[in-house]
C-alpha cells in the first residue's frame, strides 16, 4: 500500500449518515490524489446523490452506462447545469454538446476528415516525438513527467495534426488550460478563472478563424484543410462549425491525454510487479493502456439532462433534471469489474477481456479521439520497455490540478534511468 493510501481513514463513511459527506469528500482537494475510497463508500451505499447544484451524482457502472446509451439523456445542456448564464463557454457550440440530428450531421462530417487512417498515419511521427522526448528525459535524468512528457506529447501531435505552427503551441496550451479549468462547475471557479476562460475562448476563436481563412485560401496537408474540404451530399462545415471543431479537437485532444500519460506512469511506478510484467511481455502494452484508462480515468465525470421523464436507479427524474455521471466511480464498481481497486494489466488481455470501461463514454458521444489517445500511450509504453527504463518518484505526495472534470496530476517529479544494456538504435 502506498504512503498516501495509508493516510486515509480506513473507516471512511462506514455509517449511512456519513455517506453524502463521503461522496463530496471525494471532490475535496486534500482527497483528490485518491478519491477512490470515498467513491467506494458512496457507491456501496447509494446509486444516486443529490447535490446543491440540483443535479444528482450517479455512482454505479450500470446506471452510468444506461444513461450514456439512452438518447433521452441529452448532452446539449452541460452549460446550463455547470455554467448557468454562460453561453456554451463563450464558444461556437461543439457537436460534443449537441443532440441528434445536429450531432449526427456534424460528427459525420468531421469523421470524414478525422479518420482511423489519419490516426494510423501518425504512428511514425508519434514514435519519433516519443524518442526525442525520452532522449531529453534520460539526459536530464530527473524531470517533471508533466512538462517533460505528458503535455508535450499529445499537445504537439494534435496541434501539428490541425496544422498549427510550432511557435503557436505555447499559446494553444495556455488557452486550453484556461478552458479546461473552466469545464468545472462555475460555483467552483474563482472569478479570475471564469475571466481567463472567456479570454481564452476569444483568443481561440480569433486564432482559428485566421488559420481557417489561410487554409481555405491555400490548403495544406493538415486537418484544418481536410475539414474545410469535407463535403457530404452538398453539405459542408460552416465557419462556426469549423471553429468549434478545431477548439474541441485541440482541447479534448490533449487536456485528457495528459492525464492518461501521467496517471499511467504513476500506476506503473506504484505497481512494480505490473511494470515488471509489462517489460517481460511487451504484447501487454495495448491491454495495459486499457487498464490505465479504467483504473485512473483521465476524465472523471460528464453530465446529462433528461429530455423526458425517466427512471434511473429507482428514482424518477423529470424533464430538465440533470445528472453527473461519475466515470471515476463507475470504473471501479465491483459489480462490473472483479477486484476493481487492483491495477492489473492483463485485465483487458486474453480471450475474455473485462467489461468496457466508461472512460471514453458510450453511445453517440463515444470519444472520437480514442484511437489517437490509445496509440500515443501505447508508444510511450513501448519506449519504456525498449529502453529498459526504471522510474523512481521524487515526491511522496503529488500535487493535483484544480480540476474535477479533468482530474490529473499538476506536478510529477521522477527520475528516469535507462539500462545501459538496452539496445536503442
Ligand atoms: C485519454 C484521452 C481521452 C479521454 C479520456 C477522452 C474522453 C472523452 C469522453 C468521456 C468523451 C465523451 C463525453 C460525453 O459523453 O459526455 C469524449 C468525446 C470526444 N473526444 Fe475524447 N477523450 C480523450 C482523447 C481525445 C482525443 C485525443 C481527441 C481528438 C484528437 C478527442 C476528441 C473527442 C471528441 C471530438 C469528442 C466528441 C465526440 C462526440 O460528441 O460525438 N478525445 N472524449
Amino acid at each position: 500500500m502506498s504512503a498516501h493510501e495509508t493516510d486515509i481513514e480506513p473507516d471512511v463513511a462506514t455509517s449511512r449518515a456519513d455517506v453524502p459527506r463521503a461522496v463530496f469528500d471525494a471532490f475535496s482537494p486534500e482527497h483528490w490524489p485518491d478519491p477512490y475510497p470515498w467513491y467506494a463508500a458512496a457507491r456501496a451505499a447509494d446509486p444516486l446523490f443529490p447535490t446543491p447544484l440540483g443535479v444528482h451524482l450517479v455512482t454505479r457502472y450500470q446506471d452510468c452506462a444506461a444513461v450514456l446509451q439512452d438518447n433521452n439523456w441529452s448532452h446539449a445542456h452541460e452549460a446550463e447545469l455547470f455554467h448557468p448564464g454562460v453561453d456554451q463557454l463563450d464558444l461556437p457550440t461543439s457537436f460534443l454538446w449537441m443532440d441528434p440530428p445536429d450531432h449526427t450531421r456534424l460528427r459525420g462530417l468531421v469523421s470524414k476528415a478525422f479518420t482511423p487512417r489519419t490516426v494510423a498515419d501518425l504512428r511514425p511521427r508519434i514514435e519519433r516525438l516519443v524518442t526525442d522526448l525520452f532522449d531529453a528525459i534520460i539526459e536530464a535524468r530527473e524531470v517533471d513527467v508533466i512538462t517533460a512528457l505528458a503535455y508535450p506529447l499529445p499537445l504537439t501531435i494534435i496541434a501539428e495534426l490541425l496544422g498549427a505552427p510550432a511557435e503557436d503551441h505555447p499559446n494553444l496550451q495556455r488557452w486550453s488550460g484556461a478552458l479546461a479549468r473552466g469545464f468545472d462547475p462555475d460555483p467552483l471557479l474563482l472569478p479570475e478563472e471564469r475571466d481567463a476562460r472567456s479570454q481564452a475562448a476569444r483568443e481561440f476563436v480569433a486564432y482559428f478563424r485566421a488559420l481557417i481563412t489561410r487554409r481555405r485560401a491555400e490548403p495544406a496537408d493538415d486537418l484544418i484543410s481536410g475539414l474545410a474540404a469535407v463535403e457530404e451530399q452538398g453539405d459542408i462545415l460552416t465557419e462556426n462549425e469549423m471553429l468549434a471543431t478545431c477548439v474541441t479537437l485541440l482541447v479534448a485532444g490533449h487536456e485528457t491525454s495528459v492525464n492518461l500519460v501521467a496517471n499511467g506512469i504513476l500506476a506503473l511506478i506504484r505497481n512494480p510487479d505490473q511494470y515488471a510484467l509489462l517489460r517481460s511481455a511487451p504484447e501487454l502494452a495495448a491491454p495495459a493502456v486499457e487498464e490505465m484508462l479504467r483504473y485512473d480515468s483521465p476524465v472523471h465525470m460528464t453530465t446529462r439532462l433528461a429530455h423526458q421523464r425517466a427512471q434511473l436507479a429507482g428514482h424518477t427524474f423529470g424533464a430538465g433534471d440533470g445528472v453527473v455521471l461519475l466515470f471515476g466511480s463507475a470504473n471501479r464498481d465491483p459489480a462490473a469489474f472483479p477486484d476493481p481497486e487492483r491495477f492489473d494489466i492483463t485485465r483487458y488481455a486474453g480471450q475474455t477481456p473485462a467489461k468496457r470501461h466508461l472512460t471514453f463514454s458510450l453511445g453517440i458521444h463515444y470519444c472520437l479521439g480514442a484511437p489517437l489517445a490509445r496509440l500515443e500511450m501505447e508508444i510511450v509504453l513501448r519506449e519504456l520497455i525498449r529502453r529498459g527504463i526504471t522510474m523512481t518518484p521524487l515526491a511522496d505526495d503529488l500535487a493535483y490540478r484544480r480540476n474535477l472534470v479533468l482530474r490529473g496530476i499538476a506536478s510529477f517529479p521522477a527520475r528516469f534511468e535507462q539500462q545501459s544494456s538496452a539496445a536503442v538504435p
Side-chain angles (χ1 to χ4, degrees), residues 111-125:
S111 303
K112 287 192 79 176
F114 185 51
T115 63
R117 184 64 200 265
T118 316
V119 175
D121 287 350
L122 285 170
R123 180 181 277 275
R125 172 62 187 128

Side-chain angles (χ1 to χ4, degrees), residues 260-345:
L260 171 58
V261 175
N263 295 352
I265 287 188
L266 183 64
L268 291 179
I269 289 179
R270 288 196 171 151
N271 296 276
D273 62 321
Q274 295 298 296
Y275 188 29
L277 176 61
L278 178 64
R279 285 173 62 180
S280 69
E283 69 279 8
L284 287 175
V289 172
E290 232 40 51
E291 174 67 344
M292 288 165 176
L293 286 159
R294 180 200 70 85
Y295 181 74
D296 212 359
S297 183
V299 177
H300 251 240
M301 58 189 78
T302 190
T303 62
R304 290 296 188 266
L305 181 136
H307 276 311
Q308 297 168 20
R309 233 170 104 93
Q311 286 288 329
L312 183 71
H315 182 87
T316 304
F317 287 86
D321 286 348
V323 289
V324 174
L325 309 176
L326 296 177
F327 292 149
S329 172
N331 282 341
R332 299 265 189 127
D333 186 341
F337 303 100
D339 203 0
E341 311 292 341
R342 186 172 139 65
F343 175 67
D344 172 4
I345 64 167

